[in-house]
Amino acid sequence: MIELRGLHKSFGQNNVLAGVDLSIERGKSMVIIGGSGTGKSVLLKSILGLITPDQGQILVDGQDVTQADRDAFLARFGMLFQGGALFDSLPVWQNIAFRLMRGSLKRPKDEARDIAIEKLRRVGLKSDVADRFPAELSGGMQKRVSLARAIAAEPEIIFFDEPTTGLDPIMSGVINDLIREIVVDMGATAMTITHDMTSVRTIADDIAMLHAGRIQWTGPVGDMDQSGDRYIDQFINGRAEGPIEAIR
Amino acid sequence: MTGALGALGSAVLAMLASIGRVVIFAANTVKHLALHPFYPREFFQALVQIGWLSLPVVGLTAFFTGGALALQIYAGGARFSAEAVVPSIVAIGMVRELGPVLGGLMVAARVASSIAAEIGTMKVTEQIDALVTLSTDPMKYLTLPRVLAATLSLPILVAVGDAIGIFGGFLVGVNRLDFNSAAYLKNTVDFLETADVVSGMVKGAVFGFIVALMGCYHGMNSGRGAQGVGRATKSAVVAASVLILGANYILTEVFFTS
């Protein structure tokens, strides 16, 4: 279980997170929604330790992440970055097997390659992609490779940062379905940040809306349409008028 | 008046903060030398990129500099009938000063820029964050191999550049200035001391450290977007070049006046 307690983060005068409290149950898929610049990525990066919060506590299975052994902690996570973040200098299979070729999860090169090819198949790509470089792939293929890298070491917790950004609607649907299948198959705890409502409805068990640095509403995805919360109603229906000010 | 003093104070504080950050970055890099793990593949790749592939540009620079130096010293020496000093001055000038400094500056232009652009692009495309989430320390994976490769390969590049520069002077001396080839070589060898060569190579090692450190530091601290990476690249080359010239003066003081 992931628990956030009173998380604060400012950049200069900009109060991005102003006391975020949130719980994500083990094995559940939580989707964080919210407008651009509301701190969704900051929240996610704070959990991973890529950004240090100014205040508050992050607990994973009851343990404060600042007290945890960093390597062991990160070995439990997989992350799909918004732009893929594949390493340009490495072929696809080495990108996927990156964690399996170094550190505590290191294994023989052939075994790491076999796992990479199996993960490629898992995300619907053929083994001939393995030796190509990321720059030779389309946006959708890069996203799939990035997804394969995120699941390569069978993580317990997977983060997805805007998984469908930049993809056409059909490819977005494919990625959403893949994410849902993989999370269910692996029994992983997932946290996704997105403003794509199709993604939300496909991926989420629960959703939380981040607004003005706090969680505005959280609950099961099935309750989202009848939440009675004006903010979430405006967001999910994409209305320009409402409590959330839209800058024109 | 108060506003101007305030602005000056802010600028000085910002500069001191920058120096502090670079020193901490350098100390961190050196500290990682002693820490597990080491990435040999990345180190050898950096060695090829920084050392081997810089050889043509350093060699050409040294060759033309050696030739021009021979012409200059001959013309200057003729004013007081001291044309005979050409071989020894070319050798000492190349080995002590021009070989390391020009080699360092050429490598700064070629390597600091490419390191800063590469790491800066990795930063803005979240590849550095991805490294961290994959339990890999970017200092160990990106910075240390490059800094170590540059520190070890620059002295060799300088030594090769010295030889090529002296050869350039020799060709000009023999073909344009009518020196006897055997006498030119004898003069070169007689006047050169081991300390001259070693001091130049030590300078090369320091300059290599500076070049890669500046490339990595500015890449890691790159701003967002193409403009951020462009600015990081420019800063890396400027900082590396200025630091090389400053360090050269200090090292010359240490080696030759104490």
Side-chain angles (χ1 to χ4, degrees):
Chain A
M1 186 171 112
I2 302 171
E3 208 176 344
L4 313 179
R5 291 181 188 163
L7 218 57
H8 285 72
K9 181 69 189 176
S10 301
F11 295 98
Q13 300 295 309
N14 188 12
N15 238 351
V16 180
L17 303 180
V20 172
D21 296 293
L22 186 67
S23 291
I24 303 164
E25 297 295 325
R26 181 188 282 270
K28 290 278 186 182
S29 173
M30 167 67 82
V31 175
I32 313 282
I33 58 171
S36 300
T38 50
K40 302 187 298 295
S41 292
V42 173
L43 184 67
L44 197 144
K45 288 182 177 179
S46 296
I47 299 172
L48 285 169
L50 297 171
I51 291 175
T52 309
D54 299 330
Q55 207 182 312
Q57 225 182 357
I58 301 163
L59 305 170
V60 175
D61 291 338
Q63 190 186 18
D64 192 320
V65 298
T66 55
Q67 313 293 321
D69 172 69
R70 189 96 182 107
D71 271 359
F73 172 73
L74 286 171
R76 301 175 64 187
F77 284 85
M79 166 101 186
L80 170 66
F81 285 86
Q82 188 174 345
L86 296 171
F87 305 125
D88 312 304
S89 57
L90 300 178
V92 162
W93 80 266
Q94 286 188 28
N95 263 283
I96 297 170
F98 193 90
R99 195 195 282 277
L100 306 175
M101 295 168 75
R102 294 161 182 85
S104 55
L105 298 176
K106 187 173 178 175
R107 58 200 72 199
K109 196 174 174 184
D110 288 346
E111 192 184 329
R113 185 182 163 91
D114 289 346
I115 294 172
I117 289 173
E118 184 220 318
K119 297 300 174 194
L120 270 178
R121 288 207 187 94
R122 182 72 194 81
V123 298
L125 291 173
K126 291 181 182 161
S127 57
D128 60 352
V129 174
D131 293 312
R132 287 160 72 178
F133 282 84
E136 298 171 293
L137 306 178
S138 68
M141 287 167 94
Q142 286 187 14
K143 212 69 143 185
R144 288 185 197 221
V145 172
S146 189
L147 181 56
R149 183 174 69 181
I151 61 170
E154 308 276 340
E156 297 165 46
I157 303 162
I158 315 178
F159 287 175
F160 303 99
D161 184 0
E162 306 274 6
T164 56
T165 297
L167 300 180
D168 66 62
I170 296 168
M171 186 52 70
S172 296
V174 170
I175 295 289
N176 286 334
D177 289 346
L178 264 174
I179 289 174
R180 186 67 206 173
E181 276 173 37
I182 285 167
V183 169
V184 170
D185 283 358
M186 291 173 60
T189 306
M191 183 169 162
T192 307
I193 58 176
T194 185
H195 15 57
D196 176 353
M197 291 313 296
T198 313
S199 288
V200 175
R201 293 181 196 280
T202 312
I203 298 170
D205 291 319
D206 296 312
I207 71 159
M209 183 179 179
L210 194 60
H211 177 70
R214 291 170 190 273
I215 299 296
Q216 175 68 30
W217 185 86
T218 184
V221 67
D223 295 352
M224 179 174 70
D225 294 307
Q226 294 84 37
S227 68
D229 185 280
R230 291 165 57 230
Y231 290 83
I232 205 154
D233 277 351
Q234 184 190 354
F235 190 87
I236 64 176
N237 293 304
R239 285 196 292 264
E241 304 298 327
I244 305 170
E245 282 182 36
I247 300 165
R248 290 166 192 268
Chain B
M1 184 65 183
T2 319
L5 280 175
L8 181 67
S10 296
V12 170
L13 282 176
M15 192 184 74
L16 290 174
S18 294
I19 293 171
R21 280 193 292 271
V22 170
V23 170
I24 291 169
F25 190 84
N28 256 333
T29 305
V30 174
K31 185 187 81 181
H32 277 88
L33 200 57
L35 299 175
H36 184 77
F38 179 71
Y39 296 104
R41 186 174 168 272
E42 279 64 36
F43 170 69
F44 286 114
Q45 272 180 352
L47 213 53
V48 171
Q49 284 293 328
I50 297 169
W52 180 247
L53 296 179
S54 294
L55 199 53
V57 71
V58 170
L60 280 172
T61 306
F63 181 77
F64 290 120
T65 305
L69 195 60
L71 290 175
Q72 287 280 17
I73 293 164
Y74 185 82
R79 292 177 194 167
F80 40 92
S81 305
E83 296 94 329
V85 297
V86 169
S88 50
I89 302 291
V90 166
I92 290 172
M94 280 308 301
V95 168
R96 281 189 180 191
E97 202 60 34
L98 292 173
V101 172
L102 290 180
L105 290 175
M106 294 311 288
V107 174
R110 188 185 167 273
V111 172
S113 56
S114 86
I115 291 177
E118 185 185 1
I119 295 182
T121 306
M122 287 183 78
K123 189 180 177 207
V124 299
T125 55
E126 295 186 302
Q127 291 178 51
I128 305 267
D129 284 347
L131 273 178
V132 176
T133 62
L134 293 166
S135 306
T136 303
D137 185 340
M139 287 295 283
K140 279 210 119 348
Y141 186 75
L142 297 173
T143 304
L144 184 65
R146 285 164 174 77
V147 171
L148 197 59
T151 309
L152 295 177
S153 62
L154 251 281
I156 298 164
L157 270 179
V158 165
V160 174
D162 290 346
I164 294 173
I166 291 170
F167 179 65
F170 168 81
L171 282 184
V172 170
V174 171
N175 295 309
R176 292 269 296 110
L177 308 173
D178 294 330
F179 275 84
N180 174 278
S181 60
Y184 191 103
L185 286 177
K186 187 175 183 315
N187 264 343
T188 301
V189 173
D190 284 351
F191 277 91
L192 263 189
E193 291 176 8
T194 310
D196 298 327
V197 180
V198 171
S199 70
M201 290 176 75
V202 172
K203 281 183 176 182
V206 174
F207 299 163
F209 180 81
I210 289 170
V211 164
L213 192 80
M214 286 299 99
C216 293
Y217 174 79
H218 287 283
M220 291 279 190
N221 291 287
S222 165
R224 287 183 180 180
Q227 205 175 25
V229 176
R231 203 170 288 147
T233 308
K234 178 189 72 185
S235 302
V237 176
V238 171
S241 304
V242 171
L243 285 175
I244 282 173
L245 295 172
N248 179 56
Y249 176 76
I250 293 167
L251 290 170
T252 306
E253 281 276 6
V254 170
F255 287 133
F256 301 110
T257 62
S258 57

